[in-house]
């Protein structure tokens, strides 16, 4: 009885009496003797709060976070500034501690937030229906595949190599389960090879899956690429970076049936990769096939406006093996963070931020391209991230630049062996011109040192 | 002056879009700092958006007010008793939030080179080790994002395990008490569900199990179980069940949603399970956030290990007198692959590891003990008086950390559905138990008090139930029309599904 | 079902002591780690306590619930309009909280060697410079802890200034509209207050001022003024007033509580003031915290500078190519000395400096403009309809950032005291204006909307007043018995003073 | 109209029309032309939120805080661990943003907290009456002096040199104003010289002011020292460290009329010295002379229990020049932090913490005394802080130890020239045995190096 529990010895006695047993052990007798552990867990004893704090601080200090290193790494998660009001609101107990809103009358706060969030994501993507969020980006792609199979009764996905490697890999993992084939289409100068895509799509294709800006940062012509999907009755699924949707044509206007993506850039910190959320929007036609929670508007018995979980008949707790998805606990708090961030940015700020990213990215791209030993990996248009090639081993260059307090970018080699010399560089509003200039300088120096064989 | 509405009821819902006014704003952004070019010179016009999304336009003070006021339209764990069965609504320590927010955690990029993220990887490794010990299964992957994701992972592991042995199996057994995510995961993983019946003491009906195994001989890939199950009952036949499944070549999957009953007392691995998921947002105190985030790490036995998702956090012994180091292992040839981006919900890992450090092994074991004590006490309280008569326990035996009542007599005798009771509880300031689950029990009420509740709260809850039943004897409409004092009264859920309005029209 | 109470009213107040149960606890402390000795070997028995203080015994979850639930029994600025005159209830940016919480600020020991606290000292110096520019007085001490502390400091500076010139003066002039802290500070500083009357446009009555100066020739140490004053009126004679006081050898003290009206528009130093205090918890957005903390830095002219409190933050130019450094200057021979421990409310300085950086010079000036616009608009709205008739403005002219209405006609015609109106406003979800101050105005209502309110809020407030006055025409008891919907209804304040119960009996 | 303000150009136009002026400038015409600034403020332009954050982070990094350096500095403010729930609760808008509770019906949260806080401080000090808090410690001493003058109609204070130098200096500053004489009594082996004190107190003495543990860490025999005050009808004022009141005899049991002190150790962070709060407790006899807010219990019209600001007739807003003190805005939020911390510690934890401090302090004192070049400055009993003498210049030793990441203590020289070689070392529950051992080692090495003239 310490810290988080309250049963005093007196309480225990009274409670055991009421139950009619003489010890708690008796209650555990339903566990057959051989299955009882019979020894303490081999874990350390409890610690005082300040000791736990010190222990975890000490671990945290062994990480080079974006406070310690200037972070040009992106690849789906970005070092955006999360406004202080996001933390202030998401840390309120009333949002932090409830369960999924199964009792709507006492969950109007959370439900209205979902409704507002759905509206925002619908606005961003240009599609009429949004859910209240999924786990994160890549698994949302896999969920879109599952939806497409259900919608088309087909089992084949045509996926651009520009789609995030984690998304492609996750899709492949899931596809083994729900038994679908995944066909990949290559890139040309950073963009999906349109001819190859058209050739790959056929009457058995459930979905064409694109990403824009794609993993190499290039802005795809989604409408043009998507034509092949339309032609063969496949769904067009578009993964996108929400932070670019203030300036880029929304997927909904490009013919997408589903637009989804990693939500982290909106109001969520990096957190070494999670928790964040995935957003998932679709056409009206798919509303009853959507995965995840959806809040809907309704009225109470007195006619007051209110919100509830709508269309629950899609979900596992009602439909069980026939559910449109197995998701239950999702990422409500993270979606709240996104909503607050979006409200804070507002209609103008959101567009301005998109413009700012494009301008600084264009500058950085030009600046880096001018560095000896650095060249562009592709010349296609980009929004907030771009790829370069280094004339020296990428890992070694990154180590050298790290010494100067800079995380220069994401090395492409593991996931794109064809770009073993490639580096993906991301820009946020936190990356100042001075930092970009310093990156250029540091990259140049590091490449030069590697070429000259100087020991680091 | 007579009150016609509570202050909150009087404040009608208005969305943030309805508070927007053109030209207002909260964000001030940095200037570009760099030479600017026309946007269309950088990105072809046809790929650009014509109108920005119609996000709200509103200054910061009113954003804060909007969400602060909205927040108070939620009931939360920090306001009162929340005995939502199967959800383990235990206290969420704020220490965990504090350590998760340290910049070394919160601003760490997931693609940071492992050599520069040693603290994070060590923390993940320590959590893996801890969960392995608690589950009695040595290999842990932290990747799954929640329980249901863990289930899917477990089934894909099962598939990979069988495929590796050249087998293809098509059926997964699950008891009729199982949680909805179990069958939904089965379908998503490309299997077919075969239901197994429940016996008179709430466990798996052994004859039915044997029959189903026989019927589907050679086809059964897995049995998914919760133990204690969703009735709060520990299945005493578990060793035999495990033997049967293993004899058939299947895997045994443990839905860890109820792990809070047995931490430090009994381990799924020791019971014979091959794969376990753990809901960190249940037993390990990650706040539920109104529907997430959570995390659903899986622990597995040696024979399943080769198939674990990629990448895996590994510890490498140091050489030349250097200490150990931690890494992400991508080269796992038999791995089922990724289940998501990057390494998982790290922020949740920090919180849960902080919780494990705080309590220690003894504290975890004590937590389970108290959870079981609290549940049995509340069950005893509800076996008295009107509740005892109208809301009998579904399976009359000691429970573990939760128990299930049936509202059938209440409905028959008083005309009160379980839903009515639940709604009336709202007026008494309680979150109701889980209702209408498990499906097996008619008019079910599933009650899980957790270890962090006081005896006083349990008593008050029992008294509220008694009071509601008493008042219903006089006037059943009181409950049938409840709630009265909530921010909105009973809502029309059917309408929201029949004519869905899922976004604000703008 | 008819509502007899709101849910909050139904929840009767219980203190944390009443929720205590022997043996419960939240804190787990580290072990001593060191060899332990009997306490009485270390400290003589007779100096030791026999029984520990009867602090509550309660586990963490219930502590959190207790204070969370209590918090909701407060109305706060983040819930709604808070036009509390003289208090400048402007938005409290959360950015400021974030930067104040950085460990480099929050965990910096005040006795850290200045060479190892350069960031903190530079921040203080930058804030001094900024406040100096805003006030038009070059020398700033950040030491005072609030406005009243600044007032005391100002009076002690005045005393030191005169003493340095071999003078001893005994009187301090203050208008009858002055805030209570002004005369209270005068007494504490060992002076006697001489009241100065207010003229028909709300300013200092010049003839009375001249008369009081003549009556107390050679005795007047200081005149304390608020400008704009507590009527929201800018005293147009301020230059003449300053000349009169200075001619008499007195100092002119500016109570900066109303600085929010004139930032970037007019500066106390330029008006002729010698000493100014600034309430950082008003104009500079430090949250009020339900009654503090705040800070009351003072800015002074050259002639007052030698007497400023000790230590003073100073900037020293670097030599040998090194940049400037910052230090605490203790050697100030003429200083009045310390007013408190260490260097002042540094956390407040961080917030206020963040606010100044956020808005910049232009933003501050715009803030004052909008504050004045909002006040005049609300004044115009309240000059209409019933409010115009029953609640006339005390001094009918454009106001600055606030204005004062008189409830005298309302009381006479409707039998409604200002207090009744205030209490009824609570039912409408508004914090009432300041009431019964300034004393000069009968049944005063002092309204300060601040710049961070929307036009919609101002309109809603005006409509609520109109509605209350309308309903009072039918039934004045409605307001006289208000409020109805607050967590408790009208409280007996007299009882609390007559038979004070100021702690929980245990 | 940006960020924190809402008036759009449309709003402005409508508002100006309603006012009947054509521009905001017209409203400023009441400010005589020569007094208008007529130029922009000479301050930088506004910055984006992330820019402000970066700027202030950069400043913060130039401070060696207790996260960066192991902190053995005390002298009235201590590096205690503030439990996470303190921040969680004090950061709730409902506590953070309201004004002083002038409208009690909508301020029950804050008022009840005050009442609970008063109860806690009354329990700690053993005195029946507590206010809701003053600015901080030293100015509370000055306010006690003011009270004593009012109560006794005398103008003379006898103050121990063991009282915090900041308190003595603040008292002196105030005393010039309210015209009182301050007489100081010296120390003997770290304790107030009892004979000198007895000799100094006379029939004109308004108050005897002591501190225990005193500034040098020594636990005073308050009851014995206080006898002189009783004898001459002076008030006995005792400053104390609240963290020691779980184990030390409370001032109320030692005859104190007033017990007060710096509240920072309770639930308040260091914050480079503030904001924190002062606590102030007294006997029933002084209740109507108390400074500051006091919450009292009462009832509403329906008989519900409630709380209000009681005894307001003492205060400046009612009594003006006759008020018992000029204080208005005080430190309510800081007192809340203290209350939450105390509730978290609880009856047992509070005592245990006191014991922990005494044990670790005893260890540290012994450990340091054994170091060559370090000796005890006094041998009187201590609770959580103690003074040593160094056989080398203190400033130089501190610099050397700082290089090793340790802030070793508070140098006594400035305020106690007689102890120019003195160092005050403080212990909290955050200071582990390992850290104490390291301090001993580092101090020894530094003193040795200084003695040998090694260049740092
Ligand atoms: C028994 C059981 N199984 C599985 C789940 C699914 O877990 P999650 O919500 O984390 O996906 C739950 C959660 O409610 C549950 O109670
Ligand atoms: C006009 C005026 N002067 C002085 C003060 C006192 O300031 P503080 O509360 O900061 O001590 C106030 C505060 O209410 C005030 O309004």
């Amino acid at each position: 009885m310490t810290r988080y529990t309250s049963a005093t010895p007196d309480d225990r006695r009274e409670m055991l009496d009421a139950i009619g047993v003489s010890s708690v052990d008796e209650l555990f007798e339903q566990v057959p003797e051989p299955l009882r552990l019979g020894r303490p867990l081999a874990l350390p004893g409890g610690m005082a709060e300040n000791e736990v704090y010190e222990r975890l601080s000490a671990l945290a200090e062994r990480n080079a976070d974006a406070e310690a290193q200037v972070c040009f790494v992106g690849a789906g998660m970005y070092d955006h500034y999360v406004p202080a009001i996001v933390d202030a609101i998401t840390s309120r107990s009333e949002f932090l501690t409830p369960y999924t809103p199964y009792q709507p009358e006492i969950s109007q706060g959370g439900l209205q937030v979902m409704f507002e969030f759905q509206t925002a994501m619908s606005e961003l993507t240009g599609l009429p229906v949004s859910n209240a969020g999924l786990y994160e980006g890549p698994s949302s792609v896999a969920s879109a595949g599952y939806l497409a199979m259900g919608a088309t009764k087909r089992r084949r996905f045509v996926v651009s190599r520009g789609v995030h490697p984690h998304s492609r890999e996750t899709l492949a993992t899931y596809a083994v389960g729900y038994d679908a084939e995944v066909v990949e289409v290559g890139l040309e100068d950073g963009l999906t090879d349109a001819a190859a895509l058209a050739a790959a799509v056929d009457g058995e294709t459930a979905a064409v899956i694109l990403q824009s800006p794609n993993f190499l940062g290039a802005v795809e012509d989604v409408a043009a690429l998507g034509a092949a999907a339309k032609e063969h009755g496949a769904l067009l699924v578009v993964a996108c970076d929400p932070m670019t949707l203030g300036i880029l044509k929304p997927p909904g206007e490009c013919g997408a049936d589903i637009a989804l993506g990693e939500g982290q850039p909106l109001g969520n910190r990096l957190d070494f990769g999670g928790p964040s959320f995935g957003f998932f929007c679709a056409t009206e036609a798919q509303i009853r096939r959507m995965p995840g929670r959806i809040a809907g508007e309704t009225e109470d018995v007195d006619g007051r406006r209110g919100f509830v979980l709508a269309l629950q008949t899609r979900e596992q707790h009602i439909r069980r093996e026939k559910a449109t998805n197995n998701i239950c606990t999702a990422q409500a708090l993270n979606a709240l963070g996104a909503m607050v961030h979006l409200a804070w940015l507002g209609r103008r700020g959101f567009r301005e931020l998109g413009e700012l990213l494009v301008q600084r990215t264009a500058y950085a791209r030009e600046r880096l391209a001018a560095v000896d030993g650095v060249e562009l990996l592709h010349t296609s248009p980009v929004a907030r991230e771009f790829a370069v090639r280094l004339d020296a081993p990428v890992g070694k260059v990154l180590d050298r630049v790290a010494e100067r307090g800079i995380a220069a970018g994401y090395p492409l080699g593991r996931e794109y062996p064809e770009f073993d010399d490639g580096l993906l560089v991301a820009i946020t509003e936190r990356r100042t011109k001075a930092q970009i200039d310093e990156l250029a300088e540091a990259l140049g120096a590091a490449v030069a040192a590697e070429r000259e064989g100087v020991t680091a | 002056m007579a009150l016609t509405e509570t202050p909150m009821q009087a404040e009608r819902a208005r969305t943030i879009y309805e508070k927007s006014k053109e030209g207002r704003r909260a964000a001030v952004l940095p200037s570009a700092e760099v030479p600017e070019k026309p946007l269309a010179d950088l990105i072809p016009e046809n790929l650009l958006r014509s109108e920005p999304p119609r996000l709200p336009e509103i200054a910061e003070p009113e954003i804060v007010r909007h969400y602060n006021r909205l927040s108070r339209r939620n009931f939360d764990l920090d306001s009162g008793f929340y005995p939502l069965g199967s959800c383990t609504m235990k206290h969420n320590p704020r220490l965990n939030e504090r350590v998760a927010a340290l910049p070394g955690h919160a601003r760490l990029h997931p693609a940071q080179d492992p050599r520069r993220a040693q603290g994070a990887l060590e923390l993940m490794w320590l959590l893996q080790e801890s969960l392995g010990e608690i589950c009695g299964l040595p290999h842990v992957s932290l990747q799954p994002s929640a329980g249901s994701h863990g289930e899917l992972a477990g089934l894909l592991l099962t598939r990979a395990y069988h495929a590796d042995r050249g087998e293809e199996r098509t059926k997964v057994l699950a008891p009729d008490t199982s949680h909805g995510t179990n069958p939904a995961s089965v379908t998503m993983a490309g299997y077919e569900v075969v239901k197994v019946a429940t016996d008179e003491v709430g466990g798996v009906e052994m004859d039915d199990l044997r029959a189903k195994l026989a019927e589907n001989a050679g086809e059964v890939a897995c049995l998914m179980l919760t133990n204690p199950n969703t009735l709060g009952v520990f299945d005493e036949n578990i060793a035999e069940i495990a033997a049967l499944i293993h004899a058939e070549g299947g895997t045994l999957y443990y839905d860890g949603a109820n792990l809070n009953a047995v931490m430090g007392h009994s381990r799924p691995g020791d019971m014979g399970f091959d794969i376990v998921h753990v809901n960190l947002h249940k037993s390990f105190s990650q706040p539920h956030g109104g529907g997430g985030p959570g995390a659903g790490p899986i622990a597995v036995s040696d024979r399943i290990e080769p198939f674990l998702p990629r990448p895996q956090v590994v510890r490498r012994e140091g050489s030349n007198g250097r200490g150990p180091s931690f890494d992400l292992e991508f080269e796992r040839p038999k791995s089922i692959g990724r289940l998501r981006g990057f390494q998982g919900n790290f922020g949740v890992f920090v919180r849960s590891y902080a919780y494990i450090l705080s309590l220690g092994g003894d504290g975890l074991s004590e937590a389970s003990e108290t959870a079981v004590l609290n549940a049995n006490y509340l069950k005893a309280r509800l076996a008295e008086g009107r509740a005892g008569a109208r809301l009998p326990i579904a399976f009359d035996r000691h429970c573990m950390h939760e128990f299930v009542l049936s509202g059938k007599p209440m409905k028959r005798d008083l005309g009160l559905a379980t839903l009515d009771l639940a709604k009336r509880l709202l007026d008494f300031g309680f979150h109701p138990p889980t209702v209408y689950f498990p499906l097996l029990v008619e008019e079910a009420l599933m009650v899980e008090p957790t270890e962090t509740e006081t005896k006083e709260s349990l008593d008050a809850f029992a008294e509220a139930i008694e009071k509601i039943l008493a008042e219903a004897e006089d006037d059943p409409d009181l409950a049938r029309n409840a709630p009265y004092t909530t921010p909105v009264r009973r809502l029309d859920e059917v309408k929201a599904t029949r004519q869905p309005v899922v976004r604000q029209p703008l």
Side-chain angles (χ1 to χ4, degrees), chain B residues 388-467:
Chain B
R390 312 288 196 199
L391 294 170
I393 176 105
F395 292 84
D396 190 10
R397 49 183 286 186
H398 290 321
C399 63
M400 294 296 286
H401 69 303
E402 67 186 355
F403 58 91
V404 178
L405 305 178
S406 169
K408 195 175 158 191
M410 172 178 75
K411 191 168 182 187
R412 182 192 59 213
D413 303 343
L414 301 174
L416 237 58
T418 283
L419 188 71
D420 300 321
L421 176 69
K423 296 300 179 197
R424 186 69 179 128
L425 272 168
L426 302 178
D427 287 325
F428 284 78
F430 293 104
H431 196 289
T434 294
V435 292
Y436 300 104
F437 179 76
L439 305 179
L440 176 76
V441 177
E442 245 182 280
E443 296 287 320
L445 273 145
M446 185 187 205
V447 188
E448 181 183 11
T450 86
E451 72 275 15
T452 59
E453 292 299 330
T454 60
K455 178 170 173 297
E456 294 91 313
S457 286
L458 307 180
D459 288 336
F461 180 76
E463 281 151 27
I465 297 257
E466 189 64 17
K467 207 156 161 190

Side-chain angles (χ1 to χ4, degrees), chain A residues 19-370:
Chain A
I19 299 168
V21 295
S22 60
S23 74
V24 179
D25 287 348
E26 235 178 277
L27 298 171
F28 277 92
E29 278 171 13
Q30 49 188 310
V31 179
E33 173 74 52
L35 302 184
R36 283 186 233 150
L37 183 56
R39 61 160 175 88
L41 285 169
L43 295 175
M47 289 165 91
E49 183 169 321
N50 65 308
E51 293 172 326
V52 176
Y53 177 81
E54 301 301 348
R55 178 91 183 82
L56 288 168
S57 289
L59 283 172
E61 288 201 349
R62 292 173 51 222
N63 300 321
D65 61 85
E67 206 105 336
Q69 271 195 347
V70 177
C71 178
F72 288 96
V73 192
M77 297 217 171
Y78 301 89
D79 181 34
H80 284 288
Y81 179 77
V82 179
I85 61 166
V86 171
D87 287 0
I89 291 167
T90 56
S91 65
R92 284 183 64 82
S93 296
E94 292 87 339
F95 285 130
L96 184 69
T97 70
Y99 206 76
T100 300
Y102 291 139
Q103 295 289 341
E105 295 83 1
I106 51 167
S107 310
Q108 287 298 296
L111 285 160
Q112 185 174 326
V113 167
M114 289 179 181
F115 185 79
E116 293 181 358
F117 168 83
Q118 291 164 195
T119 307
M121 299 321 295
S122 162
E123 281 293 318
L124 260 58
T125 59
L127 284 166
V129 176
S130 169
N131 71 8
L134 298 177
Y135 301 137
E136 44 81 72
S139 56
S140 300
V141 172
S143 285
Y146 194 57
L147 185 157
M149 281 174 54
T152 60
K153 314 290 174 215
R154 303 176 184 174
R155 299 183 169 271
R156 186 167 182 275
F157 306 131
V158 175
V159 185
S160 162
R161 193 160 171 75
V163 172
H164 196 303
H166 295 175
S167 299
R168 283 182 284 124
E169 197 176 336
T170 303
L171 180 70
T173 304
Y174 276 59
V176 169
Y178 49 63
D179 190 22
E181 181 194 0
V182 182
V183 178
E184 198 167 288
V185 172
L187 302 174
E188 283 288 329
D189 191 26
L191 291 172
T192 305
D193 181 335
L197 182 83
V201 184
D202 63 15
E204 284 311 300
T205 305
V208 170
I209 307 180
L210 305 173
Q211 179 176 318
S212 179
N214 67 23
F215 191 70
L216 302 179
V219 181
E220 300 270 11
D221 188 341
V222 172
L225 293 170
K230 300 284 140 189
E231 198 178 311
H232 290 95
L235 297 193
L236 178 60
V237 176
V238 181
C240 43
D241 174 349
M243 272 304 183
T244 65
L245 291 178
I247 49 160
L248 295 185
K249 181 167 285 187
E253 287 179 28
C254 303
D257 296 282
I258 295 172
L260 53 77
E262 171 56 52
Q264 181 277 336
L266 302 176
N268 279 266
R269 50 204 204 195
L270 287 166
D271 270 341
F272 202 45
S276 60
F277 69 97
F279 58 92
F280 195 105
C281 300
T283 56
E284 282 285 357
Q286 308 305 336
I287 191 166
R288 284 168 204 275
R289 286 191 199 94
M290 295 282 286
R293 315 288 182 189
I294 301 179
E297 190 176 325
T298 188
E299 286 185 352
D300 80 356
V301 288
D302 296 330
R304 281 182 205 91
R305 185 184 191 183
F307 303 91
V308 294
L309 291 178
L311 302 156
Q312 292 190 56
T313 42
R314 298 165 298 117
E315 293 191 68
Q316 46 75 27
H317 61 288
I318 307 284
R319 262 296 243 294
R320 301 180 65 83
E321 62 269 22
K322 301 207 178 62
T324 61
N325 200 282
N326 70 336
I327 193 166
C328 178
T329 295
Q331 313 283 136
L333 194 70
N334 307 88
L336 167 63
M339 185 60 223
V340 177
H341 193 185
L342 286 170
W344 181 82
L345 284 167
R347 185 162 168 274
R348 280 156 207 246
F350 186 65
R351 186 179 183 91
E352 287 166 13
L353 178 53
E355 283 169 1
L356 174 69
L357 296 178
V358 171
Q359 296 294 345
R360 286 201 186 161
T361 302
Y363 173 79
R365 196 186 200 196
E366 220 171 79
R367 189 80 181 69
L368 262 59

Side-chain angles (χ1 to χ4, degrees), chain A residues 1 3 37 39 42 62 67 96 98 105-106 116 122 135 173 245 247 298 300 352 359 366, chain B residues 17 25 37 49 54 66-67 75 107 109 122 133 148 265 289-290 338 358 366 423 489 492 503:
Chain A
M1 183 259 338
R3 198 166 354 198
L37 183 56
R39 61 160 175 88
R62 292 173 51 222
E67 206 105 336
L96 184 69
E105 295 83 1
I106 51 167
E116 293 181 358
S122 162
Y135 301 137
T173 304
L245 291 178
I247 49 160
T298 188
D300 80 356
E352 287 166 13
Q359 296 294 345
E366 220 171 79
Chain B
Y17 302 94
R25 64 186 303 159
K37 296 183 181 162
R49 177 161 202 148
R54 287 159 295 179
H66 179 76
Y67 290 107
F75 182 91
R107 279 190 75 192
H109 195 284
E122 180 170 354
E133 164 66 4
S148 66
H265 292 271
R338 285 194 168 274
S358 296
E366 192 250 62
K423 296 300 179 197
R489 295 190 52 218
D492 186 345
R503 58 156 291 176

Side-chain angles (χ1 to χ4, degrees), chain B residues 198-247:
Chain B
T198 296
D199 69 14
E200 64 291 343
V201 292
V204 167
E205 162 72 60
M206 293 303 290
D207 287 343
D208 192 49
L209 176 62
R210 283 192 203 90
K212 295 288 161 62
L213 281 172
E215 261 168 47
N216 300 283
E219 286 294 299
V220 174
C222 177
L223 167 64
M224 299 181 88
L225 264 191
T226 317
N227 195 25
N229 66 15
T230 60
L231 298 164
V233 161
F234 192 95
D235 201 316
E236 302 184 3
N237 299 322
I238 183 62
E240 194 186 339
I241 295 169
L244 283 172
I245 299 297
H246 288 154

Side-chain angles (χ1 to χ4, degrees), chain A residues 86-100 109-110 269 275 331-334 336, chain B residues 67 71-72 74-78 82 89-98 100 281 285-294 351:
Chain A
V86 171
D87 287 0
I89 291 167
T90 56
S91 65
R92 284 183 64 82
S93 296
E94 292 87 339
F95 285 130
L96 184 69
T97 70
Y99 206 76
T100 300
R269 50 204 204 195
Q331 313 283 136
L333 194 70
N334 307 88
L336 167 63
Chain B
Y67 290 107
S71 77
R72 287 195 286 258
N74 273 355
F75 182 91
D76 70 310
L77 178 59
D78 283 355
Y82 212 124
M89 297 299 284
K90 64 166 70 177
H91 177 59
N92 304 139
R94 284 310 183 283
L95 164 62
N96 304 355
E97 300 305 311
R98 174 180 280 181
H281 45 299
S285 83
Q286 161 70 26
H288 286 78
R351 292 181 181 86

